[in-house]
Every structure is written in structure tokens, then in C-alpha cells.
Amino acid sequence: MKAVFKWTGLLVLGLVLGIALAVWQIRNSGLGNDVRVGPWTTGRDIGTAHADMKTRAVVALRGLLALPAQEARYFTAATDSAGAPLSGKCRYALTGGMIEARWWSVTLYDPGGWLIPNRWNRHSIGSGRIPVGRAGGWTVLIGPEEQPGLWIPTGTDGAFELTLRTYRPHGTLARDPARISLPTITRGECRP
Amino acid sequence: MIRRLASLAVVVAAALGSYYGTLATAPYGLMWLAEAKLAKSGPVNHFTHTPPVRAERQFVVRPSPDLLYSVCPYDLTAGPLEVTAVPVPGRYSSISVFDARTDVAFVRNDEQMGGEPMRVVLALEGQQTPAGIDTVRVRYATGIVLQRVLLADPSEAAAIDPIRSKARCRTLTG
């Protein structure tokens, strides 16, 4: 009888450890870690039957209903270009150029992937908002206080993430996303 | 020594099994939760045309405020599902089908529609479908059909609504 309890206990311990590790990995993995471009990461097999188990589970939790790469590539950044975690207390300049896609947008989320309420009801900037003639060199400001021009409020003092959606990617973005240039994220002043 | 190794082997084997089991089943569970949530805001096998996304109105994780979404949670148990839609002129739109494992079974965007209405039937293996219509065979009875329409500004939603509302999900019976 004692032996039965012992083996049952070991079995339960193993099951709990395995589940805990899987849940921790799903909750703490980026939305696709196959390709890294500066602070941005993406996955090659998001939304497809070729995705491995971990990718599929992470996408289900953090980006359910994501499209496959030929339709849309999703890049996520949780740090600035210097590697520091994005903080809602800080100002950032997101500076980029031409992106090989039919349209793109940058959206700010909390680390769980949810929009953060703010009094401006503003959460993203799309390529349609970039002034004519500036597509090759643009800057979007991100920060807790209202700023002139293209601006996204952080809406929080805590951590946040940025998702860059590129719909109908073409050229190098479609063929080999590891070789493209993506917007840089430069931190400015932070409030205490 | 052997008993200790045997104990360790049991723990490792159980941990590996539950680790991979959790990774494998999580997508089904999360998709099921999403389908159940959507079914509360509209009937199964019908499109619900949701208003522009706001922080207090997020039907799914990581929604895009730049897109108007229409969702049709489906169940093919009673028969195949006919999906029809028309592209919204001059802007990105698409119809995509996500199965119960979260895999994309079908995508068609406005460029591929060529300005024409689209019609497709989702069916399980063995289900009879009408001749002459594109058929997508899916592995699972449930999933979600999603229509996306690019929204440059939330104020455009009123003008787009009459067109995107032409999207239909309909169970084919008999």
C-alpha cells in the first residue's frame, strides 16, 4: 500500500511539473520567436498546420485568429532597440521607412495582448496615417502624455508591447523577413 | 540506486507526457473558449458584425483597431456551411476560416476576389456539397469564420457596414 502511494505521488508530481512548465512557457513566450529583427520577433508558421505545438499554443493564447504569413506577418516587440523592456512611463520614438506590404499598422497592447484603455481611445497608427511623401522616413511617438503629430498613448505605467502588422507582405518581407529593416524603437525621457 | 532511478524515470516520463499533452490541447481549449464567447454575442452559423474595436470592447486577444471584424462561429454537425461575402471596394478585406485547432483552413482577400462576390462551402469529409461551388474540407466540426475589413478611421464604419453586412454564413441542409 505504501508503495502505491509512493508511485502515485511521483506520477502526480511529474504531471504537475509538466503542466506547470508548459503553462509557464505558453504564457511567457513571444508571439513567434523564429525570426528576430532588432527588438521585433515573428514566427514563420503562425496560423498554419506546419506550426509546432508550442508555436500553436502560444499563438492561441496571445494572438488567436492570426493569419498565415502570405496574408499577414505579425511582429511583436516587448523591448526597445537597446533591449530595455518597454515601459508606459517612458517616451519612445518609433522610426521607420518603407515597409513592403499593402498596408501596415503598429498597435500598443498590455503584455497579455489586450488594448489598454486611454482617454483618447487611440491604440494604433496605420500606414494610411503617414503623410504623403513620408512613407520612406516616418516617426511615430509613443508616451504617456499627449504629443503632436503621430502619437500613441501608453495608457499605463506598466509594461507594454507593440505589434506591427504587415498585411499582404511582398518582396524581402515575404521571402526572408530576417533580412529586412524594421522600425527602431528609441527611448526618451521617463517620468518617475 | 535503482529505485531512485526508477522514481526519477516515473517523474520525468509523467512530466514529458503532461508537458506535451498541455501544449497539444491548449489550442483546442482556447479556441473552444473563444467560440463559446462569440456564441453569446450572436448565433452559431451566422455572422455577427462587431462594431469598431475599443479597449472596453475586445472580442478576442490582440484585436486590431484598424480592422472591422465580422465573426461566424460555426458547427458543421447539422451540415456543410455556405459562406458568402463581397469585397469592400478600394480597401483590404478578407474572409478566413480557423479550425478547432486554430489552424487557418482558408483565406481569400479582396484582391483574390477580383471585385466579385465570393462563395465557398465548408464541409467535413463525407458531407455532400453542391456541385460547382468551391469546397473547403475541414478536419473538425467547429471553428470560426472571420471577415476583416480595413478601417482607416472609425468614422468610416457606418459607410462600410452595409457592404460587409452582406457576408453570410448558412447551414446547407437536405
Side-chain angles (χ1 to χ4, degrees), chain A residues 6-7 10-11 13-19 21-23 25-26 31 47-51 53-54 56-57 59-68 70-71 74 76 102-103 105-107 109-118 121 123-126 129 161-163 165 167-168, chain B residues 3-4 6-8 10-12 14-24 26-27 30-31 34 37-38 53-56 58-67 69 71 90-94 96 98 101-112 139 144 146 148 150 152:
Chain A
K6 177 194 165 188
W7 292 112
L10 290 171
L11 191 65
L13 174 66
L15 292 172
V16 170
L17 283 175
I19 292 169
L21 178 62
V23 170
Q25 276 199 331
I26 293 169
L31 190 58
T48 73
H50 305 297
M53 277 194 287
K54 185 182 158 198
R56 186 175 288 109
V59 170
L61 179 70
R62 297 169 62 82
L64 190 67
L65 309 184
L67 290 164
Q70 72 268 21
E71 191 68 17
Y74 305 89
T76 301
R102 184 171 166 199
W103 67 275
S105 70
V106 177
T107 309
Y109 298 98
D110 70 16
W114 300 100
L115 299 171
I116 301 169
N118 65 69
N121 285 320
H123 308 281
S124 68
I125 295 284
R129 300 274 306 278
E161 292 182 353
L162 296 173
T163 293
R165 290 176 166 78
Y167 271 73
R168 299 298 287 161
Chain B
R3 280 191 179 180
R4 283 191 179 177
S7 300
L8 184 63
V10 167
V11 173
V12 170
L16 283 173
S18 63
Y19 170 78
Y20 286 109
T22 303
L23 289 185
L30 291 165
M31 193 66 170
K37 183 178 177 182
L38 293 173
V53 170
R54 295 174 63 121
E56 63 272 20
Q58 303 182 63
F59 74 100
V60 71
V61 69
R62 216 171 287 271
S64 173
D66 302 293
L67 291 166
Y69 295 97
V71 290
R91 66 183 60 225
Y92 174 86
S93 65
S94 66
S96 46
F98 297 83
R101 197 174 71 155
T102 73
D103 293 340
V104 177
F106 172 84
V107 184
R108 187 169 295 170
N109 60 51
D110 61 306
E111 291 174 328
Q112 294 159 335
R139 291 172 298 169
I144 295 171
L146 188 63
R148 291 170 160 94
L150 177 60

Side-chain angles (χ1 to χ4, degrees), chain A residues 65-146:
Chain A
L65 309 184
L67 290 164
Q70 72 268 21
E71 191 68 17
R73 280 200 186 278
Y74 305 89
F75 296 89
T76 301
T79 70
D80 62 24
S81 293
L86 297 173
S87 167
K89 293 180 180 177
C90 300
R91 290 184 175 193
Y92 296 90
L94 184 67
T95 306
M98 193 69 76
I99 295 176
E100 294 177 300
R102 184 171 166 199
W103 67 275
W104 56 262
S105 70
V106 177
T107 309
L108 190 148
Y109 298 98
D110 70 16
W114 300 100
L115 299 171
I116 301 169
N118 65 69
R119 63 190 171 95
W120 299 273
N121 285 320
R122 182 186 290 199
H123 308 281
S124 68
I125 295 284
S127 50
R129 300 274 306 278
I130 303 297
V132 175
R134 300 289 302 279
W138 49 266
T139 297
V140 170
L141 302 174
I142 298 165
E145 294 99 16
E146 190 164 7

